[in-house]
Coordinates of all heavy atoms in Angstrom, one line a residue:
M1 N 5.2 6.1 -1.1 CA 3.8 5.7 -1.3 C 3.6 4.3 -0.6 O 4.3 3.3 -1.0 CB 3.3 5.7 -2.8 CG 1.9 5.6 -3.0 SD 1.5 5.9 -4.7 CE 1.7 7.7 -4.7
S2 N 2.6 4.1 0.1 CA 2.5 2.7 0.7 C 1.3 2.0 0.2 O 1.0 0.9 1.0 CB 2.3 3.0 2.2 OG 1.1 3.8 2.4
Q3 N 0.6 2.3 -0.9 CA -0.4 1.5 -1.2 C -0.4 1.4 -2.8 O 0.3 2.1 -3.6 CB -1.8 2.1 -0.8 CG -1.8 3.6 -1.2 CD -3.2 4.1 -0.3 OE1 -3.6 3.4 0.5 NE2 -3.5 5.3 -0.5
F4 N -1.4 0.5 -3.4 CA -1.5 0.4 -4.7 C -2.3 1.6 -5.3 O -3.2 2.2 -4.8 CB -2.3 -0.9 -5.0 CG -1.4 -2.1 -5.1 CD1 -1.3 -2.7 -3.8 CD2 -0.8 -2.5 -6.1 CE1 -0.5 -4.0 -3.8 CE2 0.0 -3.6 -6.1 CZ 0.1 -4.4 -4.8
T5 N -2.0 2.0 -6.6 CA -2.6 3.1 -7.3 C -3.0 2.6 -8.5 O -2.3 1.9 -9.4 CB -1.6 4.3 -7.6 OG1 -1.0 4.6 -6.2 CG2 -2.2 5.3 -8.2
P6 N -4.3 2.9 -8.9 CA -4.8 2.4 -10.3 C -4.2 3.3 -11.4 O -4.0 4.4 -11.3 CB -6.3 2.7 -10.2 CG -6.5 3.8 -9.2 CD -5.3 3.5 -8.2
V7 N -3.7 2.6 -12.5 CA -2.8 3.3 -13.5 C -3.6 3.3 -14.8 O -3.5 4.2 -15.5 CB -1.5 2.8 -13.5 CG1 -0.6 3.1 -12.2 CG2 -1.4 1.3 -13.8
L8 N -4.2 2.2 -15.2 CA -5.0 2.1 -16.4 C -6.0 0.9 -16.4 O -5.8 0.0 -15.7 CB -4.1 2.1 -17.6 CG -3.0 1.1 -17.8 CD1 -3.4 -0.2 -18.0 CD2 -2.1 1.6 -18.9
D9 N -6.9 0.9 -17.3 CA -7.8 -0.1 -17.6 C -7.0 -1.4 -18.2 O -6.1 -1.1 -19.1 CB -9.1 0.2 -18.4 CG -9.9 1.2 -17.7 OD1 -9.9 1.3 -16.5 OD2 -10.7 1.8 -18.4
V10 N -7.3 -2.5 -17.8 CA -6.7 -3.8 -18.4 C -7.0 -3.7 -19.8 O -5.9 -4.0 -20.6 CB -7.3 -4.9 -17.7 CG1 -6.9 -6.2 -18.5 CG2 -6.9 -5.2 -16.3
A11 N -8.0 -3.4 -20.5 CA -8.3 -3.4 -21.8 C -7.4 -2.4 -22.6 O -7.1 -2.6 -23.9 CB -9.7 -3.1 -22.2
Y12 N -6.8 -1.5 -22.0 CA -6.0 -0.6 -22.6 C -4.6 -1.1 -23.0 O -3.9 -0.5 -23.8 CB -5.8 0.8 -21.7 CG -5.1 1.9 -22.3 CD1 -5.7 2.8 -23.2 CD2 -3.8 2.2 -22.0 CE1 -5.1 3.8 -23.8 CE2 -3.1 3.3 -22.7 CZ -3.7 4.1 -23.6 OH -3.1 5.1 -24.0
L13 N -4.2 -2.1 -22.4 CA -2.8 -2.7 -22.6 C -2.8 -4.1 -23.0 O -2.8 -5.1 -22.1 CB -2.0 -2.5 -21.2 CG -0.5 -2.8 -21.4 CD1 0.1 -2.0 -22.6 CD2 0.2 -2.6 -20.0
P14 N -3.1 -4.5 -24.2 CA -3.2 -5.9 -24.6 C -1.9 -6.5 -24.5 O -0.8 -6.0 -24.4 CB -3.4 -5.7 -26.2 CG -3.9 -4.3 -26.4 CD -3.2 -3.5 -25.2
P15 N -2.0 -7.9 -24.4 CA -0.7 -8.8 -24.3 C 0.3 -8.4 -25.4 O -0.1 -8.1 -26.6 CB -1.2 -10.1 -24.5 CG -2.6 -10.2 -24.2 CD -3.1 -8.8 -24.5
G16 N 1.6 -8.3 -25.1 CA 2.6 -8.1 -26.1 C 3.0 -6.6 -26.2 O 3.8 -6.1 -26.9
Q17 N 2.3 -5.7 -25.3 CA 2.5 -4.3 -25.3 C 3.0 -3.7 -24.0 O 2.8 -4.3 -23.0 CB 1.3 -3.6 -25.9 CG 0.9 -4.0 -27.3 CD -0.2 -3.2 -27.9 OE1 -0.4 -2.1 -27.4 NE2 -0.8 -3.6 -28.8
G18 N 3.6 -2.6 -24.1 CA 4.0 -1.8 -23.0 C 3.4 -0.5 -23.0 O 2.8 0.0 -24.0
A19 N 3.4 0.2 -21.8 CA 2.9 1.6 -21.7 C 3.6 2.3 -20.5 O 4.4 1.8 -19.7 CB 1.4 1.5 -21.3
E20 N 3.7 3.6 -20.8 CA 4.3 4.5 -19.7 C 3.1 5.3 -19.1 O 2.3 5.8 -19.4 CB 5.2 5.5 -20.5 CG 6.1 6.3 -19.6 CD 6.9 7.3 -20.3 OE1 6.5 8.2 -20.9 OE2 8.1 7.0 -20.5
V21 N 3.3 5.0 -17.6 CA 2.3 5.7 -16.7 C 3.1 6.4 -15.7 O 4.3 6.3 -15.5 CB 1.3 4.6 -16.0 CG1 0.6 3.9 -17.2 CG2 2.2 3.6 -15.2
T22 N 2.4 7.3 -14.9 CA 3.0 8.0 -13.8 C 2.4 7.6 -12.5 O 1.1 7.6 -12.5 CB 2.9 9.6 -14.2 OG1 3.4 9.8 -15.4 CG2 3.6 10.3 -13.1
V23 N 3.2 7.3 -11.6 CA 2.6 6.9 -10.2 C 3.3 7.9 -9.2 O 4.5 7.7 -9.1 CB 2.7 5.4 -9.9 CG1 2.1 5.2 -8.6 CG2 2.2 4.6 -11.1
G24 N 2.6 8.5 -8.5 CA 3.1 9.4 -7.4 C 4.3 10.3 -7.8 O 5.3 10.5 -7.4
G25 N 4.1 10.7 -9.1 CA 5.2 11.6 -9.8 C 6.3 10.9 -10.5 O 7.3 11.5 -10.9
Q26 N 6.4 9.4 -10.3 CA 7.5 8.7 -10.9 C 6.9 8.0 -12.1 O 5.8 7.6 -12.2 CB 7.8 7.6 -9.8 CG 8.5 8.1 -8.6 CD 9.2 6.9 -7.9 OE1 9.7 6.1 -8.5 NE2 9.1 7.0 -6.6
V27 N 7.8 8.1 -13.0 CA 7.6 7.3 -14.4 C 7.7 5.9 -14.2 O 8.7 5.4 -13.7 CB 8.3 7.8 -15.6 CG1 8.0 7.1 -16.7 CG2 8.2 9.3 -15.7
V28 N 6.6 5.0 -14.5 CA 6.7 3.6 -14.5 C 6.4 3.0 -15.8 O 5.5 3.5 -16.7 CB 5.5 3.3 -13.4 CG1 5.5 1.7 -13.4 CG2 5.9 3.7 -12.1
A29 N 7.1 2.0 -16.2 CA 7.0 1.1 -17.5 C 6.2 0.0 -17.1 O 6.5 -0.9 -16.2 CB 8.2 0.9 -18.2
L30 N 5.1 -0.2 -17.8 CA 4.2 -1.3 -17.6 C 4.0 -2.1 -18.9 O 4.0 -1.7 -19.9 CB 2.8 -0.7 -17.3 CG 1.6 -1.5 -16.6 CD1 2.0 -2.0 -15.2 CD2 0.3 -0.6 -16.5
F31 N 4.0 -3.5 -18.6 CA 4.1 -4.5 -19.7 C 3.0 -5.5 -19.4 O 2.7 -5.9 -18.3 CB 5.5 -5.0 -19.8 CG 6.6 -4.0 -20.0 CD1 7.3 -3.6 -18.9 CD2 6.8 -3.5 -21.2 CE1 8.2 -2.6 -19.0 CE2 7.6 -2.5 -21.3 CZ 8.6 -2.2 -20.3
N32 N 2.4 -6.0 -20.5 CA 1.6 -7.1 -20.5 C 2.2 -8.2 -21.3 O 2.3 -8.3 -22.4 CB 0.1 -6.8 -21.1 CG -0.9 -8.0 -21.0 OD1 -0.4 -9.1 -20.9 ND2 -2.1 -7.6 -21.2
V33 N 2.6 -9.4 -20.4 CA 3.2 -10.5 -21.0 C 2.1 -11.7 -21.0 O 1.9 -12.2 -19.9 CB 4.5 -10.9 -20.4 CG1 5.1 -12.2 -20.9 CG2 5.5 -9.7 -20.4
N34 N 1.5 -12.0 -21.9 CA 0.5 -13.2 -22.0 C -0.5 -12.9 -20.8 O -0.9 -13.9 -20.3 CB 1.2 -14.5 -22.0 CG 2.1 -14.7 -23.1 OD1 1.8 -14.4 -24.2 ND2 3.3 -15.3 -22.8
G35 N -1.0 -11.8 -20.7 CA -2.0 -11.4 -19.6 C -1.4 -11.3 -18.3 O -2.3 -11.0 -17.3
T36 N -0.2 -11.3 -18.1 CA 0.5 -10.9 -16.7 C 1.2 -9.7 -16.8 O 1.9 -9.5 -17.7 CB 1.5 -12.0 -16.2 OG1 0.7 -13.4 -16.3 CG2 2.0 -11.8 -14.9
F37 N 0.8 -8.9 -15.9 CA 1.3 -7.4 -15.9 C 2.6 -7.3 -15.1 O 2.7 -8.0 -14.1 CB 0.3 -6.4 -15.4 CG -0.9 -6.4 -16.5 CD1 -2.0 -7.1 -16.4 CD2 -0.9 -5.4 -17.5 CE1 -3.1 -7.1 -17.2 CE2 -1.9 -5.4 -18.4 CZ -3.0 -6.1 -18.3
H38 N 3.5 -6.5 -15.6 CA 4.8 -6.3 -14.9 C 5.1 -4.9 -15.0 O 4.8 -4.1 -16.1 CB 5.9 -7.0 -15.6 CG 5.7 -8.6 -15.6 ND1 6.2 -9.5 -14.7 CD2 5.1 -9.2 -16.7 CE1 5.8 -10.5 -15.0 NE2 5.3 -10.6 -16.2
A39 N 5.6 -4.3 -13.9 CA 6.0 -2.8 -13.7 C 7.4 -2.7 -13.4 O 7.9 -3.3 -12.6 CB 5.1 -2.2 -12.7
L40 N 8.1 -1.8 -14.2 CA 9.5 -1.4 -13.9 C 9.6 0.0 -13.8 O 8.8 0.8 -14.3 CB 10.4 -1.9 -15.1 CG 10.4 -3.3 -15.5 CD1 11.4 -3.6 -16.7 CD2 11.0 -4.2 -14.4
A41 N 10.8 0.4 -13.2 CA 11.0 1.9 -13.1 C 11.1 2.3 -14.8 O 11.6 1.6 -15.5 CB 12.3 2.2 -12.6
G42 N 10.5 3.5 -15.0 CA 10.3 3.8 -16.4 C 11.4 4.3 -17.1 O 11.3 4.6 -18.3
R43 N 12.6 4.7 -16.4 CA 13.7 5.3 -17.0 C 14.9 4.4 -17.2 O 15.3 3.7 -16.2 CB 14.1 6.5 -16.4 CG 13.1 7.7 -16.4 CD 13.0 8.2 -17.7 NE 12.0 9.2 -17.9 CZ 10.9 9.2 -18.6 NH1 10.9 8.2 -19.5 NH2 10.1 10.1 -18.7
C44 N 15.3 4.2 -18.4 CA 16.6 3.3 -18.6 C 17.7 3.8 -18.0 O 18.1 4.9 -17.9 CB 16.8 3.3 -20.2 SG 18.2 2.4 -20.8
P45 N 18.5 2.8 -17.3 CA 19.7 3.3 -16.6 C 20.8 3.7 -17.5 O 21.8 4.3 -17.0 CB 20.1 1.9 -15.7 CG 19.5 0.8 -16.5 CD 18.2 1.5 -17.2
H46 N 20.7 3.4 -18.7 CA 21.7 4.0 -19.6 C 21.8 5.4 -19.7 O 22.8 6.1 -19.4 CB 21.8 3.2 -21.0 CG 22.7 3.7 -22.0 ND1 22.5 4.0 -23.3 CD2 24.0 3.9 -21.9 CE1 23.6 4.4 -23.9 NE2 24.5 4.4 -23.1
G47 N 20.7 6.0 -20.3 CA 20.6 7.5 -20.5 C 19.2 8.0 -20.3 O 19.0 9.0 -20.8
G48 N 18.3 7.2 -19.6 CA 17.1 7.8 -19.2 C 15.9 7.6 -20.2 O 15.0 8.2 -20.2
G49 N 16.3 6.6 -21.2 CA 15.2 6.3 -22.2 C 13.9 5.9 -21.6 O 14.0 5.2 -20.5
P50 N 12.8 6.0 -22.3 CA 11.6 5.6 -21.8 C 11.1 4.2 -22.1 O 10.7 3.8 -23.2 CB 10.6 6.5 -22.7 CG 11.3 6.7 -24.0 CD 12.7 6.7 -23.7
L51 N 11.5 3.3 -21.0 CA 11.3 1.9 -21.3 C 9.8 1.5 -21.7 O 9.7 0.6 -22.3 CB 11.8 1.1 -20.0 CG 13.3 1.2 -19.7 CD1 13.6 0.5 -18.5 CD2 14.0 0.6 -21.0
G52 N 8.8 2.2 -21.1 CA 7.4 1.9 -21.5 C 7.2 2.1 -22.8 O 6.0 1.8 -23.2
R53 N 8.0 2.8 -23.7 CA 7.8 3.1 -25.0 C 8.7 2.2 -25.9 O 8.8 2.5 -27.0 CB 7.8 4.4 -25.4 CG 6.9 5.5 -24.7 CD 7.0 6.8 -25.2 NE 6.8 7.8 -24.2 CZ 7.2 9.0 -24.2 NH1 7.9 9.4 -25.2 NH2 7.1 9.7 -23.1
G54 N 9.3 1.3 -25.2 CA 10.3 0.4 -25.8 C 9.6 -0.7 -26.6 O 8.5 -0.8 -26.8
F55 N 10.5 -1.6 -27.2 CA 10.0 -2.6 -28.2 C 9.9 -3.9 -27.3 O 10.8 -4.4 -26.8 CB 10.9 -2.8 -29.3 CG 11.2 -1.5 -30.1 CD1 12.4 -0.8 -29.9 CD2 10.2 -0.9 -30.9 CE1 12.7 0.3 -30.5 CE2 10.5 0.4 -31.5 CZ 11.6 1.0 -31.3
V56 N 8.7 -4.5 -27.2 CA 8.6 -5.6 -26.4 C 8.6 -6.9 -27.3 O 7.9 -6.9 -28.4 CB 6.9 -5.6 -25.7 CG1 6.8 -6.7 -24.9 CG2 6.9 -4.2 -24.8
D57 N 9.3 -7.9 -26.6 CA 9.4 -9.2 -27.5 C 9.4 -10.2 -26.5 O 10.4 -10.5 -25.8 CB 10.6 -9.1 -28.3 CG 10.8 -10.5 -29.1 OD1 9.8 -11.3 -29.2 OD2 11.9 -10.8 -29.7
G58 N 8.2 -10.9 -26.3 CA 8.2 -11.9 -25.3 C 8.3 -11.3 -23.8 O 7.5 -10.3 -23.5
T59 N 9.2 -11.7 -23.1 CA 9.4 -11.2 -21.7 C 10.5 -10.1 -21.7 O 10.9 -9.6 -20.6 CB 9.9 -12.3 -20.6 OG1 11.1 -12.8 -21.2 CG2 8.8 -13.3 -20.6
Q60 N 10.9 -9.7 -23.0 CA 12.0 -8.6 -23.0 C 11.5 -7.2 -23.6 O 10.6 -7.3 -24.3 CB 13.0 -9.1 -23.9 CG 13.8 -10.3 -23.2 CD 14.9 -10.9 -24.0 OE1 15.1 -10.4 -25.1 NE2 15.7 -11.8 -23.5
V61 N 12.1 -6.2 -23.1 CA 11.8 -4.9 -23.7 C 13.0 -4.2 -24.0 O 14.1 -4.3 -23.3 CB 11.0 -4.0 -22.7 CG1 11.7 -3.7 -21.4 CG2 10.6 -2.7 -23.4
S62 N 13.2 -3.7 -25.3 CA 14.5 -2.9 -25.6 C 14.2 -1.4 -25.7 O 13.1 -1.1 -26.2 CB 14.7 -3.4 -27.0 OG 15.1 -4.9 -27.1
C63 N 15.1 -0.7 -25.0 CA 14.9 0.7 -24.8 C 14.9 1.2 -26.3 O 15.7 0.9 -27.1 CB 16.1 1.2 -24.1 SG 16.2 3.1 -23.9
P64 N 14.0 2.2 -26.6 CA 13.9 2.8 -27.9 C 15.0 3.7 -28.2 O 15.2 4.1 -29.4 CB 12.5 3.6 -27.8 CG 12.3 3.9 -26.3 CD 12.9 2.7 -25.6
W65 N 15.8 4.1 -27.2 CA 16.9 5.0 -27.6 C 18.2 4.3 -28.0 O 18.7 4.7 -29.0 CB 17.3 6.0 -26.4 CG 16.3 7.0 -26.1 CD1 15.1 7.2 -26.8 CD2 16.3 8.0 -25.1 NE1 14.4 8.2 -26.3 CE2 15.0 8.7 -25.3 CE3 17.2 8.3 -24.2 CZ2 14.9 9.8 -24.5 CZ3 16.9 9.5 -23.2 CH2 15.8 10.2 -23.4
H66 N 18.7 3.3 -27.3 CA 19.9 2.7 -27.8 C 19.9 1.2 -27.6 O 20.9 0.5 -27.6 CB 21.2 3.1 -27.1 CG 21.2 4.7 -26.9 ND1 20.9 5.3 -25.7 CD2 21.5 5.6 -27.7 CE1 21.0 6.7 -25.9 NE2 21.3 6.8 -27.1
N67 N 18.7 0.6 -27.5 CA 18.3 -0.8 -27.6 C 18.9 -1.7 -26.5 O 19.0 -2.9 -26.5 CB 19.0 -1.2 -28.9 CG 18.2 -2.4 -29.5 OD1 16.9 -2.3 -29.5 ND2 18.8 -3.5 -30.0
W68 N 19.3 -1.1 -25.3 CA 19.6 -1.9 -24.1 C 18.3 -2.7 -23.8 O 17.2 -2.1 -23.9 CB 19.9 -1.1 -22.9 CG 21.2 -0.6 -22.9 CD1 22.3 -0.4 -24.1 CD2 22.0 -0.2 -21.8 NE1 23.3 0.1 -23.5 CE2 23.4 0.2 -22.2 CE3 21.8 -0.2 -20.4 CZ2 24.4 0.7 -21.3 CZ3 22.8 0.3 -19.5 CH2 24.0 0.8 -20.0
T69 N 18.5 -4.0 -23.6 CA 17.3 -5.0 -23.4 C 17.2 -5.5 -22.1 O 18.2 -6.0 -21.5 CB 17.4 -5.9 -24.5 OG1 17.5 -5.4 -25.8 CG2 16.2 -7.0 -24.4
F70 N 16.1 -5.4 -21.5 CA 15.7 -5.9 -20.1 C 14.7 -6.9 -20.1 O 13.7 -7.0 -21.0 CB 15.2 -4.6 -19.2 CG 16.3 -3.6 -19.2 CD1 16.4 -2.6 -20.1 CD2 17.2 -3.6 -18.1 CE1 17.2 -1.6 -20.1 CE2 18.2 -2.6 -18.1 CZ 18.2 -1.5 -19.1
D71 N 14.8 -7.8 -19.1 CA 13.7 -8.9 -18.8 C 12.8 -8.2 -18.0 O 13.1 -7.8 -16.8 CB 14.3 -10.0 -18.1 CG 13.3 -11.2 -18.0 OD1 12.1 -10.9 -17.7 OD2 13.7 -12.4 -18.1
V72 N 11.5 -8.0 -18.5 CA 10.5 -7.3 -17.6 C 10.1 -8.0 -16.3 O 9.4 -7.5 -15.5 CB 9.3 -6.9 -18.5 CG1 9.7 -6.2 -19.8 CG2 8.4 -8.2 -18.9
T73 N 10.4 -9.4 -16.3 CA 9.9 -10.2 -15.1 C 10.9 -10.0 -14.0 O 10.7 -10.4 -12.9 CB 9.7 -11.7 -15.5 OG1 11.0 -12.3 -15.9 CG2 8.9 -11.8 -16.6
T74 N 12.2 -9.7 -14.3 CA 13.2 -9.5 -13.3 C 13.8 -8.0 -13.2 O 14.4 -7.7 -12.2 CB 14.5 -10.4 -13.6 OG1 15.0 -10.0 -14.7 CG2 13.8 -11.9 -13.7
G75 N 13.7 -7.4 -14.3 CA 14.4 -6.0 -14.3 C 15.8 -6.0 -14.8 O 16.4 -5.0 -14.9
E76 N 16.3 -7.3 -14.9 CA 17.6 -7.4 -15.3 C 18.1 -7.0 -16.8 O 17.2 -7.5 -17.8 CB 18.2 -8.8 -15.0 CG 18.2 -9.1 -13.5 CD 18.6 -10.6 -13.2 OE1 18.6 -11.4 -14.2 OE2 18.9 -11.0 -12.1
N77 N 19.1 -6.5 -17.0 CA 19.6 -6.3 -18.4 C 20.0 -7.7 -18.9 O 20.7 -8.3 -18.2 CB 20.8 -5.3 -18.4 CG 21.4 -4.9 -19.7 OD1 21.9 -5.9 -20.5 ND2 21.1 -3.8 -20.3
V78 N 19.6 -8.0 -20.2 CA 19.9 -9.3 -20.6 C 21.3 -9.6 -20.9 O 21.8 -10.7 -20.8 CB 19.1 -9.7 -21.8 CG1 17.6 -9.7 -21.6 CG2 19.5 -8.8 -22.9
A79 N 22.2 -8.6 -21.1 CA 23.6 -8.6 -21.3 C 24.5 -8.5 -20.0 O 25.5 -9.1 -19.8 CB 24.1 -7.6 -22.4
R80 N 24.0 -7.9 -19.1 CA 24.6 -7.6 -17.8 C 23.6 -7.6 -16.7 O 23.1 -6.6 -16.4 CB 25.4 -6.3 -17.8 CG 26.7 -6.2 -18.7 CD 27.3 -4.9 -18.6 NE 27.6 -4.5 -17.2 CZ 28.2 -3.4 -16.8 NH1 28.4 -2.4 -17.8 NH2 28.2 -3.2 -15.6
V81 N 23.6 -8.6 -16.0 CA 22.6 -8.8 -14.9 C 22.7 -7.7 -13.8 O 21.8 -7.5 -13.0 CB 22.4 -10.2 -14.3 CG1 22.0 -11.1 -15.5 CG2 23.8 -10.7 -13.8
D82 N 23.9 -7.3 -13.6 CA 24.2 -6.2 -12.6 C 23.6 -4.9 -13.0 O 23.4 -4.1 -12.1 CB 25.6 -6.0 -12.4 CG 26.4 -5.6 -13.6 OD1 26.2 -6.2 -14.7 OD2 27.2 -4.6 -13.6
L83 N 23.2 -4.7 -14.1 CA 22.5 -3.6 -14.6 C 21.0 -3.9 -14.6 O 20.4 -4.4 -15.5 CB 22.7 -3.1 -16.1 CG 24.2 -2.7 -16.3 CD1 24.5 -2.5 -17.8 CD2 24.3 -1.3 -15.6
K84 N 20.4 -3.5 -13.5 CA 19.1 -3.9 -13.1 C 18.1 -2.6 -12.9 O 18.4 -1.6 -12.3 CB 19.0 -4.7 -11.8 CG 17.8 -5.7 -11.6 CD 18.2 -6.6 -10.5 CE 16.9 -7.6 -10.3 NZ 17.3 -8.4 -9.3
V85 N 16.8 -2.8 -13.4 CA 15.9 -1.7 -13.2 C 15.0 -2.1 -12.2 O 14.6 -3.4 -12.1 CB 15.1 -1.4 -14.6 CG1 14.0 -0.5 -14.4 CG2 16.0 -1.2 -15.7
A86 N 14.6 -1.3 -11.3 CA 13.7 -1.6 -10.0 C 12.4 -2.1 -10.6 O 11.8 -1.8 -11.6 CB 13.5 -0.4 -9.2
R87 N 11.9 -3.1 -9.9 CA 10.5 -3.6 -10.3 C 9.5 -3.2 -9.3 O 9.9 -2.8 -8.2 CB 10.5 -5.2 -10.3 CG 11.4 -5.8 -11.2 CD 11.4 -7.3 -11.2 NE 10.1 -7.8 -11.6 CZ 9.2 -8.6 -10.9 NH1 9.7 -9.0 -9.8 NH2 8.1 -9.0 -11.3
H88 N 8.2 -3.0 -9.7 CA 7.2 -2.7 -8.7 C 6.1 -3.7 -8.8 O 5.8 -4.3 -9.8 CB 6.5 -1.3 -9.2 CG 7.6 -0.1 -9.3 ND1 8.2 0.3 -8.3 CD2 7.8 0.5 -10.3 CE1 9.1 1.4 -8.6 NE2 8.8 1.5 -9.9
A89 N 5.5 -3.8 -7.7 CA 4.3 -4.8 -7.4 C 3.2 -4.4 -8.3 O 2.9 -3.2 -8.4 CB 3.9 -4.9 -6.0
V90 N 2.5 -5.3 -8.9 CA 1.2 -5.0 -9.7 C 0.1 -5.9 -9.4 O 0.5 -7.1 -9.0 CB 1.6 -5.3 -11.2 CG1 0.4 -5.0 -12.1 CG2 2.9 -4.5 -11.6
K91 N -1.0 -5.3 -9.5 CA -2.2 -6.4 -9.3 C -3.3 -5.9 -10.2 O -3.2 -4.7 -10.7 CB -2.8 -6.4 -7.9 CG -3.4 -5.0 -7.4 CD -3.9 -5.1 -6.0 CE -4.7 -3.9 -5.6 NZ -5.3 -3.9 -4.3
V92 N -4.2 -6.8 -10.6 CA -5.3 -6.4 -11.5 C -6.5 -6.6 -10.5 O -6.9 -7.6 -9.8 CB -5.4 -7.4 -12.6 CG1 -6.7 -7.2 -13.5 CG2 -4.2 -7.1 -13.5
E93 N -7.5 -5.6 -10.5 CA -8.6 -5.6 -9.7 C -9.6 -4.7 -10.3 O -9.2 -3.6 -10.7 CB -8.2 -5.1 -8.2 CG -9.2 -5.3 -7.2 CD -8.8 -5.0 -5.8 OE1 -7.9 -5.7 -5.2 OE2 -9.2 -3.9 -5.3
D94 N -10.9 -5.2 -10.4 CA -12.0 -4.2 -10.8 C -11.7 -3.9 -12.4 O -11.9 -2.7 -12.7 CB -12.1 -3.0 -10.1 CG -12.6 -3.5 -8.6 OD1 -13.3 -4.5 -8.5 OD2 -12.3 -2.7 -7.8
G95 N -11.0 -4.7 -13.1 CA -10.7 -4.4 -14.5 C -9.6 -3.4 -14.7 O -9.4 -2.9 -15.8
R96 N -8.8 -3.1 -13.6 CA -7.9 -2.1 -13.8 C -6.6 -2.6 -13.3 O -6.5 -3.7 -12.5 CB -8.1 -0.8 -12.9 CG -9.5 -0.1 -13.4 CD -9.7 1.0 -12.5 NE -9.2 2.2 -13.1 CZ -9.2 3.4 -12.6 NH1 -9.9 3.5 -11.5 NH2 -8.8 4.4 -13.3
V97 N -5.3 -2.0 -13.7 CA -4.1 -2.4 -13.3 C -3.7 -1.4 -12.2 O -3.8 -0.2 -12.5 CB -3.1 -2.4 -14.5 CG1 -1.7 -2.9 -14.0 CG2 -3.5 -3.3 -15.7
W98 N -3.1 -2.0 -11.2 CA -2.7 -1.2 -10.1 C -1.2 -1.5 -9.8 O -0.7 -2.5 -10.0 CB -3.4 -1.7 -8.7 CG -5.0 -1.5 -8.8 CD1 -5.8 -2.3 -9.6 CD2 -5.8 -0.8 -8.0 NE1 -7.1 -1.9 -9.4 CE2 -7.1 -0.8 -8.4 CE3 -5.6 0.3 -6.9 CZ2 -8.2 -0.3 -7.8 CZ3 -6.6 0.9 -6.4 CH2 -7.9 0.7 -6.8
V99 N -0.5 -0.4 -9.4 CA 1.0 -0.4 -9.2 C 1.2 0.1 -7.8 O 0.7 1.0 -7.4 CB 1.8 0.3 -10.3 CG1 3.2 0.5 -9.9 CG2 1.6 -0.3 -11.6
H100 N 2.2 -0.7 -7.2 CA 2.6 -0.3 -5.8 C 4.2 0.1 -6.0 O 5.0 -0.7 -6.3 CB 2.4 -1.5 -4.9 CG 2.7 -1.1 -3.4 ND1 3.9 -0.5 -3.0 CD2 2.1 -1.5 -2.3 CE1 3.9 -0.4 -1.7 NE2 2.8 -1.0 -1.2
L101 N 4.5 1.2 -5.6 CA 5.9 1.7 -5.8 C 6.7 1.2 -4.6 O 8.0 1.2 -4.8 CB 6.0 3.3 -5.7 CG 5.4 4.0 -6.9 CD1 5.6 5.6 -6.8 CD2 6.0 3.4 -8.2
G102 N 6.2 0.9 -3.5 CA 7.1 0.4 -2.3 C 8.1 -0.5 -2.6 O 9.0 -0.6 -3.2
Ligands
FES1 S1 18.9 5.3 -22.8 FE1 18.3 3.3 -23.0 S2 19.8 2.2 -24.1 FE2 20.4 4.3 -23.9

């Protein structure tokens, strides 16, 4: 996919929370950190847990299945930086959050 896709209204995802959305058939984890949105691949590299439904604490999200924790601003696992989740570009326009899978 070569362009941004609208995924949800900004008001739907308050600061400090995450959400799971689907873009072009791919699951994406979306987070609002103090008003800045971040998007990661939605499946945890450990066992496929839903990162968008994880526990958000500041810039970190913990997978709800076995608690692996990632920095949502980099995609890096906080314990092992080589375990990285792909990041996606995000923009806010017209009151909506848009994600680019590219
Ligand atoms: S599936 Fe995410 S920590 Fe195990």
Side-chain angles (χ1 to χ4, degrees):
M1 186 169 293
S2 61
Q3 55 192 7
F4 281 90
T5 301
V7 293
L8 52 70
D9 289 346
V10 169
Y12 186 78
L13 187 58
Q17 295 192 20
E20 187 173 77
V21 298
T22 302
V23 181
Q26 291 190 42
V27 178
V28 172
L30 195 63
F31 305 98
N32 181 342
V33 178
N34 297 323
T36 300
F37 291 87
H38 302 272
L40 300 178
R43 292 291 175 238
C44 177
H46 179 222
L51 292 178
R53 296 186 220 157
F55 308 103
V56 180
D57 183 12
T59 61
Q60 298 182 348
V61 61
S62 297
C63 178
W65 285 5
H66 315 101
N67 215 38
W68 281 23
T69 301
F70 299 86
D71 186 323
V72 304
T73 68
T74 64
E76 293 175 348
N77 184 293
V78 299
R80 284 186 51 186
V81 295
D82 57 311
L83 290 173
K84 203 167 181 179
V85 178
R87 298 181 66 234
H88 302 300
V90 182
K91 71 175 182 178
V92 174
E93 194 172 288
D94 298 329
R96 305 179 88 181
V97 182
W98 302 63
V99 172
H100 187 310
L101 290 184

